[in-house]
Amino acid sequence: MEKNTEKGYIALLGWSLGAVEAAENFDRRYVVVAPDWAEEYCTQHNIPYVSWNFERLNDRSLEIAETLRDMGVDAAVPLFEETVEWAGAINSVLMKNPRLHGQAVLFRDKALMKRRAQLGGIRVGIFEEAHEKSDVIRFFKRVNQTLLKLDGDPDDPIHLKAFDKAGCLGHRIIRSPDEIEYISESEYPLLMESHLDGWEFAVEAWVWNGKIQFLNISEYVTLGYSVFVPATPELERYREQITRQIELLIEAFDIRFGQIHPEYFVTNDGTMYFGEVAYRPPGFKAFELIERAYGFNAYQASMLVFDPKATEEEVAAFFPTPLEDAKGCAGCFGVYPRKRVVSRLELPEETEQHPYFDYHELTAPLEATVTKRTAFGTHWGLIFFFGDDPQRMRDLLKHQEELDFYV
Amino acid sequence: MPLDTDSPAVEARLPQRLEQFDEALAVLAQAPSFSRAMRAKRVFDIARRVLLEPGGCQALEHRAAVIDRSGLFADSDWSTPQHLLPALTPLSLGSPDADTVMIESLSELRLLAVAKGDYPHALISAEHAHHYLTQVLALNLPRLFDMTSEAERETQGRLADVPRALFRYLAERIGFEFIIDVMIDEIWRLLEQRPLLTDSIRQMITQIALCQANPEIDLGTSGQGAARLVSSLFGPTQGCREDPGVDVYAERLSAMDIPGLQQEASGMARAMRDIGLVSPYHPVLLRYLLDHNDHLISEALGLSTTGRDCLLCYHQLIKALVDGIAYPATAQAIYGLAMLLERGILYQPPLAPALWRQLALPLSNWSRQRLTLAYGQSASPEARLLEGVLCMLGLPLGVGQGNNPTCQSARALSMWAYNDPDYLLQMVAWAARDDEIVMQFEGQPISSMTSGAGLSTGLSLDLDPVSLLVVPHLDRIYAEMGRLCIDREGDPHRWVNPEFHGWWAGRGFHIIVDVTTGKIEAPETFYRHFYATYHPFYNGNQPLVHPQPAGIAVTDSASRFIGWHAITILRAALGPDDTMRIYFFNPNNDSGQDWGDGVVVSTAGNGERFGEASLPFAQFASRLYIFHLDPQEQGAPADVHGEELADVMGYLRRSWGAERLTET
């Protein structure tokens, strides 16, 4: 792609092949900032590259910011949860705005984040930090007391999450007090949340100049298993309310630009509860789904809204109109083996023959025995679907949960 | 959720899949090189489902050119289809990895389009593609006839449907009934060249035998010609007619009387001399004779008076050699030994002691490892190398370069085995024992240890044992000699060829191409000298004394230039139809090639000896670009007839000369 030399460079923090490919095909010059294991690959393929190991922020943090500034970089785009704070620190130097780092810290700490949201007038569930087992037991009991449960009634579950990990990593559901025993010491401290009996969904929003430029609603069929874009009409009817919520979020976190990925619950009466928000691309290849459904590249969208040299016309021309411009509905399903012992990958005939089936990224099993899942764990690969009807997509994704992909 | 099984839904699937496929392919085509692998995965996955639909294979075949251009094969072995080895396809198509199965399947469909003439490919001709597919079909007959084993089903599951669907389609397109016949013709054609490497031919014959033995397969009238091949390999004599296994055969031998053994011996010899392959029963017989009736060894080798004389003169040596190679895994060595004796080269004084050295040669660790890596552990590395040595000395024209750009080294080995056998044995000793070969270049020693990289960066293992050990050294030395000539004006072969091959390569040198411009220069002068030196009608009826290195501009069946290639001119003589022909050795694995414009290299039927290739003199001359001669024996270039030159010029102009001739 012909590069526009009137604009500066954009730095991509973290290694993502999809992001590099998008950058290569975009008119902005770019540089990949990634750990040294990526160096050989980048050199081999002529990918502009700066080596950096993203560990804890330390005295040398200024060094990478200055290196990038001297190269002509205007903005740093975080690709992973681990690089969000780095992007904040680097951008505060590049854009001479120290508040950007503080803002990034909010995104990295789930307890701080919830508190900030609450201060901004956003509804959040009950939450608390836990430092040891007794905290969890106390929280579990109190939540269930508040719900006026009697002895013998099934308890309402609570959710435990690591402070600073992305998505489902470290996410556990506690349904009874004895399950608390299984939490290992190393998982503390953690965040505890009451369970919201609502409908969970995610939003990907690109913000520029303090305004939403594009808002996508990703519907979860089952958390940790499947997601699709755009959502069913049942969820899309809340679009206006959702937009209002995101605007509150932008105000509360003082977001001028960037791409955010918040999660919400909507309860039966239409009340929105804020779950959490990330300042980076969502997991589960949601960016690919958006590209499949809408035809624009979501990584390029992020590079654009981060770039201080982007113009109003450029931004307006880049994004399509939500829903109206969707070419179809794209969904994906994360496969977990259901059997304890598996020998090979074999897609169910009905999945493979379904007209919505696009392709899969599953790999042959490396080991015959499936390790038991603690928490939510990681899926073994994704299956992609594409079709016209979001409702049919939802039912199709739900159905996949009952099938064996590894036999 | 019920499956859509009603036919309109099924029929609708293919167009839907193809739409997805075309989209995925377009994404791949636009992907930068570094993310191609990621994008290719989706293409493979959709292609798999396309292929399994009725009409899917055909749709993919039609897309051959687009698939090729998308970069799906880039940076993989499949990007150079001219070098693909049919013998590897059973492995890739049987892989549990879907992507491997798919890249191989798509490549097969692409070559089908090439073979059918629908897709002219820059790197591979239609004929080559057709040959390749015939061999692939031959090697995968079990899949074609749906004889896949349980093991395959277990590792591949429903993925095994892909190769089955592919082969049904390939067979249908190529013509099912004559696949086996074409294959048999192909086997005979290859065997007439008496190659040193026989594994894939053996595999093909085995596949035919399995099909014939299976009552569920109806071959119709085809496959009749296979009987001789199958029986020569699996039941060459009365004692092993029904392929009883080597142990049973050994027992039967111990119960036979002398006339019975004599019959076995002559039967084995007949089968071996007939097809050039040695049955695994043959070494069992030889070992028995060695211990009990050694006077029948000559009979078992099928020797003529020359061979028998040689055997009697060097009785102890031959017995030691037989003892070294009489194992079912190294059976082919028996044919090599028989041919070695027939050539009478043992009468050259250094040869017998050099073979004694070979018998006692300690191999370096590296040599042992390479031999084991290439041929497995069915025979000791020593026996493998001895087999290789005997075969190369017995069949100097059976050397092939494998899938490597090392035609010069293969040519040198062949030339030494043919012309200077004890020098070859010296090379083998240095390489196999010392891991180093030193050659002289104009008085300066060049060691293979200190020389830089050769032409071939990673040598493939599809080589005979001698080439496997010696070629890496020769390749580096050859490249080093080239580097030493870098500052000299003109073509480096002028100096390198005589220094590399031997004193007998003429110091006089002619080249038809201007090295800097690539244009053809003074073609008539070039041809006059060639005729005056090599053509018996112009050189005083002098037969060629030593084999001479020469360079060929290889063209494909459409007469397009493909590349420069090294060959050996062996002799010029009248063919059976009284036209003058050049007989030459081509280190390429299969010499039978169509070079376009009616220039078809013949390997049998025109007076060729085993392993020789031949062309009418003028046709050969038109593809020649380098030759050597003795400056003292220049003949009379002026006497060469104008019509002869015009004939050559015509062939040149209609092929690789088209763009290189500067008309004056």
Side-chain angles (χ1 to χ4, degrees):
Chain A
M1 178 91 185
E2 188 86 15
K3 298 294 176 188
N4 185 345
T5 49
E6 283 169 27
K7 315 275 184 184
Y9 285 80
I10 308 288
L12 301 174
L13 303 193
W15 174 255
S16 154
L17 197 53
V20 183
E21 187 189 29
E24 186 70 33
N25 291 331
F26 193 44
D27 73 346
R28 298 301 204 272
R29 293 172 291 177
Y30 71 99
V31 58
V32 173
V33 184
D36 41 20
W37 46 255
E39 181 159 5
E40 197 185 323
Y41 192 84
C42 290
T43 321
Q44 196 186 337
H45 292 97
N46 289 320
I47 298 169
Y49 166 80
V50 170
S51 166
W52 192 257
N53 290 315
F54 299 102
E55 284 147 17
R56 292 272 162 212
L57 281 179
N58 56 31
D59 307 345
R60 289 182 60 219
S61 306
L62 191 62
E63 185 185 316
I64 181 69
E66 284 171 343
T67 309
L68 293 176
R69 185 187 61 202
D70 296 345
M71 287 173 68
V73 172
D74 287 334
V77 179
L79 298 179
F80 298 101
E81 187 62 31
E82 292 73 13
T83 59
V84 167
E85 195 178 343
W86 281 94
I90 292 169
N91 283 333
S92 66
V93 175
L94 296 178
M95 302 177 187
K96 301 192 180 63
N97 181 355
R99 284 155 47 98
L100 289 175
H101 180 228
Q103 182 194 54
V105 173
L106 288 178
F107 291 122
R108 285 287 281 144
D109 185 310
K110 285 181 183 166
L112 285 179
M113 181 196 300
K114 289 224 166 195
R115 231 154 247 141
R116 170 61 78 102
Q118 211 168 24
L119 289 175
I122 297 168
R123 237 178 236 274
V124 296
I126 306 168
F127 66 93
E128 219 173 274
E129 287 148 59
H131 296 277
E132 53 182 51
K133 204 191 304 175
S134 60
D135 295 340
V136 185
I137 298 170
R138 188 162 22 86
F139 184 76
F140 187 78
K141 284 198 172 141
R142 215 176 54 213
V143 165
N144 278 295
Q145 271 168 2
T146 325
L147 293 167
L148 301 176
K149 298 270 173 171
L150 299 173
D151 270 354
D153 279 352
D155 285 324
D156 241 34
I158 60 165
H159 295 258
L160 306 186
K161 291 175 182 174
F163 280 129
D164 59 352
K165 290 209 179 99
C168 294
L169 287 172
H171 183 174
R172 269 175 189 278
I173 299 180
I174 300 293
R175 291 171 204 279
S176 70
D178 19 314
E179 282 175 341
I180 299 169
E181 295 300 323
Y182 295 114
I183 309 167
S184 78
E185 287 299 319
S186 61
E187 290 180 55
Y188 292 99
L190 43 77
L191 181 76
M192 303 175 287
E193 295 171 338
S194 59
H195 179 74
L196 291 167
D197 240 348
W199 187 1
E200 190 174 10
F201 64 91
V203 165
E204 286 80 34
W206 282 269
V207 181
W208 186 75
N209 214 4
K211 294 204 172 52
I212 300 170
Q213 302 299 325
F214 185 84
L215 189 151
N216 173 69
I217 304 172
S218 295
E219 183 165 339
Y220 293 144
V221 183
T222 302
L223 184 67
Y225 276 97
S226 41
V227 62
F228 62 93
V229 170
T232 52
E234 289 93 313
L235 184 55
E236 281 288 349
R237 74 191 157 99
Y238 294 114
R239 179 170 272 274
E240 252 178 62
Q241 280 163 274
I242 293 170
T243 308
R244 178 69 204 115
Q245 286 294 319
I246 303 295
E247 280 163 358
L248 278 176
L249 203 60
I250 290 173
E251 211 173 301
F253 287 83
D254 192 18
I255 301 167
R256 299 302 299 162
F257 62 85
Q259 173 258 316
I260 53 173
H261 165 59
E263 286 176 327
Y264 288 91
F265 292 85
V266 52
T267 54
N268 295 339
D269 58 359
T271 317
M272 304 275 167
Y273 282 90
F274 169 76
E276 58 187 67
V277 58
Y279 196 63
R280 54 155 173 86
F284 244 71
K285 301 253 169 134
F287 268 22
E288 294 220 356
L289 299 182
I290 292 172
E291 179 165 10
R292 192 90 174 85
Y294 284 103
F296 76 87
N297 184 294
Y299 287 110
Q300 293 173 356
S302 294
M303 290 173 74
L304 184 65
V305 294
F306 268 91
D307 183 4
K309 294 206 172 96
T311 63
E312 183 129 28
E313 297 74 43
E314 255 186 317
V315 176
F318 189 90
F319 292 103
T321 311
L323 282 182
E324 213 172 279
D325 288 342
K327 296 180 289 182
C329 176
C332 72
F333 177 77
V335 172
Y336 300 91
R338 304 199 315 158
K339 298 186 172 166
R340 291 285 287 132
V341 177
V342 294
S343 63
R344 65 168 188 274
L345 162 70
E346 185 143 310
L347 255 61
E349 185 101 31
E350 59 173 285
T351 301
E352 209 168 88
Q353 298 299 355
H354 197 281
Y356 278 19
F357 180 66
D358 193 356
Y359 73 109
H360 75 82
E361 288 182 343
L362 301 176
T363 46
L366 296 174
E367 284 173 21
T369 324
V370 179
T371 30
K372 202 165 179 208
R373 264 198 290 161
T374 60
F376 269 83
T378 325
H379 54 75
W380 281 29
L382 296 171
I383 304 183
F384 292 85
F385 297 91
F386 187 77
D388 303 326
D389 181 1
Q391 278 151 333
R392 194 170 167 199
M393 178 69 76
R394 178 191 58 203
D395 299 342
L396 178 66
L397 290 173
K398 183 80 197 160
H399 179 66
Q400 302 306 309
E401 292 171 26
E402 294 159 26
L403 303 176
D404 280 312
F405 294 81
Y406 288 93
V407 294
Chain B
M1 198 172 292
L3 270 178
D4 285 334
T5 43
D6 53 314
S7 62
V10 172
E11 274 166 34
R13 281 203 310 240
L14 183 62
Q16 221 166 30
R17 296 279 146 81
L18 284 172
E19 199 181 310
Q20 286 180 320
F21 179 78
D22 292 339
E23 205 240 90
L25 203 63
V27 171
L28 172 69
Q30 282 163 16
S33 67
F34 57 78
S35 59
R36 226 184 258 145
M38 180 173 78
R39 298 296 171 205
K41 241 183 130 40
R42 177 165 169 229
V43 176
F44 287 135
D45 191 42
I46 300 174
R48 181 175 53 85
R49 277 170 293 134
V50 170
L51 193 146
L52 291 172
E53 290 297 324
C57 286
Q58 190 186 11
L60 291 172
E61 186 197 339
H62 288 324
R63 285 166 170 75
V66 193
I67 294 174
D68 226 345
R69 274 200 304 275
S70 74
L72 192 68
F73 300 113
D75 303 323
S76 77
D77 292 346
W78 292 269
S79 65
T80 48
Q82 72 275 30
H83 294 144
L84 288 176
L85 298 175
L88 294 180
T89 56
L91 290 176
S92 48
L93 291 169
S95 161
D97 178 56
D99 292 355
T100 310
V101 176
M102 281 319 298
I103 195 170
E104 187 68 60
S105 303
L106 288 171
S107 175
E108 256 52 290
L109 289 169
R110 161 185 66 159
L111 292 175
L112 180 62
V114 174
K116 285 281 167 186
D118 301 331
Y119 170 31
H121 198 284
L123 298 173
I124 184 167
S125 67
E127 290 77 6
H128 187 162
H130 197 273
H131 266 149
Y132 172 84
L133 288 176
T134 318
Q135 295 202 12
V136 168
L137 280 165
L139 291 164
N140 288 282
L141 278 186
R143 288 204 171 81
L144 187 58
F145 294 116
D146 207 9
M147 298 194 297
T148 31
S149 61
E150 260 323 292
E152 229 153 4
R153 275 179 232 284
E154 192 48 41
T155 47
Q156 282 196 304
R158 274 195 294 116
L159 187 58
D161 294 345
V162 170
R164 272 203 291 277
L166 173 75
F167 281 110
R168 265 198 304 278
Y169 181 70
L170 286 179
E172 198 181 294
R173 286 281 282 153
I174 288 186
F176 185 79
E177 63 290 344
F178 74 99
I179 287 172
I180 291 206
D181 289 336
V182 170
M183 210 166 88
I184 292 166
D185 290 347
E186 175 73 8
I187 292 171
W188 278 111
R189 200 183 61 75
L190 290 172
L191 283 177
E192 273 162 354
Q193 302 176 47
R194 294 294 192 262
L196 295 191
L197 275 189
T198 57
D199 279 358
S200 68
I201 300 178
R202 282 168 187 271
Q203 271 182 48
M204 285 195 258
I205 298 174
T206 310
Q207 299 300 353
I208 297 177
L210 288 174
C211 288
Q212 285 183 327
N214 189 331
E216 285 170 24
I217 297 171
D218 180 16
L219 290 176
T221 54
S222 65
Q224 301 300 325
R228 242 165 92 204
L229 293 171
V230 174
S231 72
S232 295
L233 211 48
F234 298 108
T237 62
Q238 203 62 43
C240 56
R241 171 131 301 154
E242 81 289 15
D243 196 7
V246 287
D247 296 333
V248 174
Y249 183 61
E251 273 173 41
R252 286 183 190 169
L253 287 177
S254 60
M256 280 185 198
D257 55 9
I258 300 287
L261 286 173
Q262 193 152 17
Q263 211 178 356
E264 287 300 302
S266 56
M268 285 292 181
R270 205 165 35 238
M272 171 177 84
R273 301 289 289 252
D274 182 24
I275 68 168
L277 292 179
V278 185
S279 161
Y281 292 109
H282 205 151
V284 178
L285 173 69
L286 264 187
R287 179 147 316 269
Y288 183 80
L289 296 179
L290 193 66
D291 297 338
H292 300 93
N293 303 81
D294 64 0
H295 64 281
L296 284 177
I297 290 179
S298 159
E299 191 86 39
L301 294 176
L303 297 178
S304 70
T305 48
T306 311
R308 186 173 300 128
D309 272 354
C310 249
L311 181 134
L312 293 174
C313 274
Y314 296 95
H315 199 62
Q316 289 304 318
L317 174 64
I318 307 306
K319 282 182 75 171
L321 290 172
V322 169
D323 187 42
I325 48 92
Y327 304 103
T330 52
Q332 198 58 26
I334 297 171
Y335 188 54
L337 176 62
M339 292 299 106
L340 166 78
L341 291 168
E342 294 290 20
R343 288 185 66 207
I345 51 174
L346 270 182
Y347 290 125
Q348 297 180 20
L351 212 63
L355 282 170
W356 280 115
R357 174 183 57 194
Q358 184 65 43
L359 275 166
L361 194 72
L363 302 188
S364 73
N365 280 337
W366 192 79
S367 303
R368 304 179 69 90
Q369 277 167 15
R370 264 185 87 72
L371 288 165
T372 312
L373 187 66
Y375 310 111
Q377 293 178 323
S378 55
S380 70
E382 286 79 5
R384 275 291 168 211
L385 183 58
L386 187 59
E387 178 195 23
V389 164
L390 293 178
C391 286
M392 192 173 278
L393 288 177
L395 303 157
L397 305 182
V399 180
Q401 69 197 70
N403 189 13
N404 301 294
T406 49
C407 49
Q408 284 94 353
S409 300
R411 171 174 71 178
L413 286 174
S414 156
M415 204 182 278
W416 297 330
Y418 184 84
N419 193 48
D420 200 358
D422 69 285
Y423 183 66
L424 173 72
L425 288 172
Q426 187 67 55
M427 288 284 171
V428 172
W430 283 335
R433 182 190 56 206
D434 311 334
D435 293 335
E436 181 181 21
I437 286 180
V438 177
M439 284 171 83
Q440 306 280 323
F441 183 76
E442 297 171 353
Q444 179 182 345
I446 297 176
S447 156
S448 59
M449 295 280 275
T450 52
S451 297
L455 303 175
S456 167
T457 39
L459 204 62
S460 72
L461 297 175
D462 54 334
L463 291 170
D464 64 87
V466 172
S467 300
L468 186 76
L469 296 189
V470 184
V471 167
H473 298 282
L474 295 182
D475 186 37
R476 283 198 289 271
I477 292 174
Y478 184 86
E480 185 63 31
M481 287 184 177
R483 277 191 278 273
L484 291 173
C485 291
I486 249 167
D487 300 331
R488 303 187 189 179
E489 202 175 305
D491 192 275
H493 294 103
R494 173 191 296 261
W495 304 280
V496 174
N497 275 344
E499 293 290 319
F500 187 69
H501 292 90
W503 63 266
W504 59 84
R507 295 277 164 177
F509 179 80
H510 284 279
I511 181 166
I512 196 171
V513 179
D514 182 289
V515 179
T516 46
T517 64
K519 293 284 183 196
I520 289 175
E521 268 199 332
E524 293 211 0
T525 320
F526 178 84
Y527 293 134
R528 276 184 191 280
H529 279 286
F530 181 62
Y531 270 74
T533 313
Y534 286 85
H535 199 298
F537 292 173
Y538 300 104
N539 71 1
N541 204 17
Q542 171 59 55
L544 185 60
V545 180
H546 293 103
Q548 290 294 333
I552 288 285
V554 180
T555 50
D556 68 4
S557 59
S559 309
R560 291 173 302 185
F561 175 77
I562 291 184
W564 312 112
H565 188 55
I567 56 128
T568 311
I569 301 178
L570 297 169
R571 59 197 178 96
L574 288 173
D577 59 349
D578 275 349
T579 53
M580 189 60 71
R581 299 182 78 86
I582 285 272
Y583 295 88
F584 61 99
F585 164 72
N586 186 341
N588 214 305
N589 310 299
D590 177 6
S591 306
Q593 295 166 348
D594 183 351
W595 289 350
D597 190 28
V599 181
V600 179
V601 182
S602 151
T603 54
N606 283 302
E608 294 89 356
R609 297 165 189 162
F610 290 140
E612 280 183 341
S614 87
L615 277 175
F617 204 96
Q619 295 188 1
F620 177 84
S622 73
R623 297 299 191 272
L624 188 70
Y625 86 102
I626 276 178
F627 70 94
H628 290 262
L629 57 105
D630 185 328
Q632 306 307 317
E633 297 173 0
Q634 299 243 12
D639 293 351
V640 181
H641 288 304
E643 308 94 82
E644 298 243 34
L645 293 178
D647 196 16
V648 185
M649 287 301 292
Y651 280 114
L652 174 64
R653 206 169 284 127
R654 289 188 300 273
S655 62
W656 69 287
E659 287 164 9
R660 292 171 184 264
L661 274 170
T662 43
E663 293 298 343
T664 46

